Amino acid sequence: MSKKVLVLAILMVLLAVSAYGLYDAFSLPTVARKYETVLTYSHEGRYVYDVHLKPNSLYNTTILRGESGGTYFTAITKGIDVTFLYRFECSKPVKAEGNVTLTATLEAKGYRETLWRKGIPIIPNRASITPTGTAMVKFTINTTEIKEVIEKIEDEIGIRSSENRLTVKAKVKIAAKTGEDVISEEFNPVFTVSYVGNLIKIDGGLEESKPGSVTKTQVMVIEDTYKRRSLFIASTVALASVLTVAAATPGRKVLIEELAKKKFGDILAEGHKEGGAVMVGSLDDIGRVADVLSKPVVYDPREDSYRVYDGQVVYEFKPKR
């Protein structure tokens, strides 16, 4: 392997490494995003209820304080007073506005699906949210009237359900402002009363909360990526230029041949030694040798050879047939 080929091979390897580094540099991100939590907040909803009873010999009172998962007897229950309490908590001072709207739906549960569904009016069913982020709605569920509605529908359709459920949903819409940030969300806690046989069951989960946060994104430029790109662009261009120049530059042997042609001009003949003779490359070359030595050209028809004799040295040309 010639020295030039070795140099070109090394330059090509370096160029490939630099090109890969350039590709890798352009695949790196140029910006980084930093997420900062500006504030945290939460919606808190809670249902509080009292069960009003008919005069009875089971309890020593006609009012039972409600509890999560409470079970009561339909025959001695007159109604349920319910209070929905809402509060918006925030890590920064806020100015809130919005409202709470209550809706109620009575439905009959089948084995795998809901058999029927009916809206039940709630009075009162609306309250405004105070600037500090609180609201309260008080309403009454007349359990006797609800039971009568269930029985009337079942008599009309001829189907009785093992469970009927009254679901009260509080639809909270709030817009809370704190400085430049505005939190606009909805929150929907529910209160469920189930009629199962001769029992009234208040489902658990009287309290519900929904946390949240406000975050801001900070975009930062990654300077190292741009520096890396500039470095590999410069190295790739430089190596490509050097490789182009090196490939176009002739080797030492070519340079010597060109120098010899300039120096000797017409008296330069191409040849090589073969056996006891100096073999020249063409008829012109054997002619040049004869002119320089002032010797005749001897043609040997048997061997189809042209020779010039200079003492013990023989110059010969054999045409290729």
Side-chain angles (χ1 to χ4, degrees):
M1 181 184 293
S2 67
K3 187 178 293 185
K4 179 180 179 180
V5 173
L6 179 61
V7 171
L8 290 176
I10 293 174
L11 286 174
M12 290 180 68
V13 171
L14 293 176
L15 180 60
V17 173
S18 182
Y20 177 79
L22 182 61
Y23 168 79
D24 182 65
F26 272 89
S27 66
L28 296 175
T30 56
V31 295
R33 289 174 172 80
K34 181 180 179 182
Y35 299 95
E36 179 184 359
T37 300
V38 178
L39 59 88
T40 58
Y41 61 88
S42 67
H43 304 272
E44 298 179 4
R46 182 163 63 98
Y47 289 95
V48 179
Y49 70 93
D50 292 328
V51 179
H52 291 263
L53 305 176
K54 300 173 183 178
N56 63 90
S57 58
L58 179 61
Y59 300 102
N60 294 323
T61 180
T62 56
I63 299 177
L64 295 178
R65 177 66 64 180
E67 59 185 50
S68 179
T71 301
Y72 309 94
F73 299 100
T74 306
I76 61 173
T77 302
K78 290 196 304 182
I80 305 171
D81 286 341
V82 185
T83 301
F84 172 69
L85 302 170
Y86 171 75
R87 182 174 61 193
F88 181 79
E89 293 283 353
C90 186
S91 59
K92 290 184 177 182
V94 298
K95 183 178 181 181
E97 59 182 21
N99 56 72
V100 178
T101 304
L102 299 179
T103 59
T105 304
L106 180 64
E107 55 188 9
K109 294 295 183 179
Y111 178 65
R112 292 184 177 178
E113 59 184 355
T114 300
L115 299 178
W116 53 265
R117 183 181 288 111
K118 179 179 176 60
I120 300 296
I122 295 291
I123 299 175
N125 71 333
R126 189 179 177 87
S128 297
I129 297 175
T130 66
T132 57
T134 61
M136 180 176 66
V137 185
K138 291 184 177 182
F139 60 97
T140 299
I141 298 175
N142 191 319
T143 54
T144 302
E145 289 183 358
I146 297 298
K147 185 65 174 176
E148 291 174 353
V149 170
I150 294 172
E151 291 175 349
K152 183 178 181 181
I153 293 175
E154 289 180 340
D155 289 340
E156 290 174 349
I157 64 176
I159 297 176
R160 297 190 180 279
S161 173
S162 59
E163 180 183 355
N164 298 94
R165 183 176 299 174
L166 178 69
T167 302
V168 179
K169 177 185 289 187
K171 188 174 184 179
V172 180
K173 286 187 175 182
I174 184 172
K177 298 179 182 179
T178 169
E180 298 178 353
D181 302 304
V182 178
I183 303 165
S184 182
E185 292 188 348
E186 290 189 10
F187 179 52
N188 305 113
V190 299
F191 178 79
T192 305
V193 180
S194 298
Y195 289 79
V196 182
N198 293 319
L199 298 176
I200 295 175
K201 295 183 177 181
I202 307 297
D203 291 0
L206 300 179
E207 297 185 15
E208 189 174 336
S209 63
K210 177 184 174 183
S213 63
V214 174
T215 59
K216 289 190 175 180
T217 305
Q218 182 180 0
V219 179
M220 297 175 292
V221 177
I222 304 176
E223 296 291 345
D224 287 345
T225 298
Y226 287 101
K227 292 179 181 178
R228 187 181 179 90
R229 289 181 179 181
S230 300
L231 174 64
F232 280 106
I233 288 174
S235 63
T236 302
V237 171
L239 286 169
S241 301
V242 172
L243 181 60
T244 302
V245 172
T249 302
R252 184 172 180 272
K253 181 180 178 181
V254 176
L255 290 174
I256 293 175
E257 289 177 355
E258 292 179 353
L259 182 62
K261 288 179 181 179
K262 290 180 180 180
K263 183 175 182 64
F264 299 110
D266 294 338
I267 65 172
L268 180 64
E270 182 179 346
H272 65 278
K273 191 173 182 181
E274 186 176 306
V278 177
M279 305 300 294
V280 296
S282 67
L283 195 62
D284 290 338
D285 288 336
I286 198 70
R288 292 190 188 95
V289 172
D291 290 341
V292 171
L293 297 177
S294 299
K295 302 289 184 178
V297 178
V298 179
Y299 175 65
D300 184 350
R302 293 174 301 174
E303 296 185 10
D304 190 21
S305 173
Y306 298 85
R307 299 187 183 96
V308 175
Y309 294 92
D310 183 24
Q312 300 295 322
V313 181
V314 179
Y315 298 90
E316 184 178 359
F317 168 68
K318 284 186 177 183
K320 295 179 181 180
R321 303 296 182 183

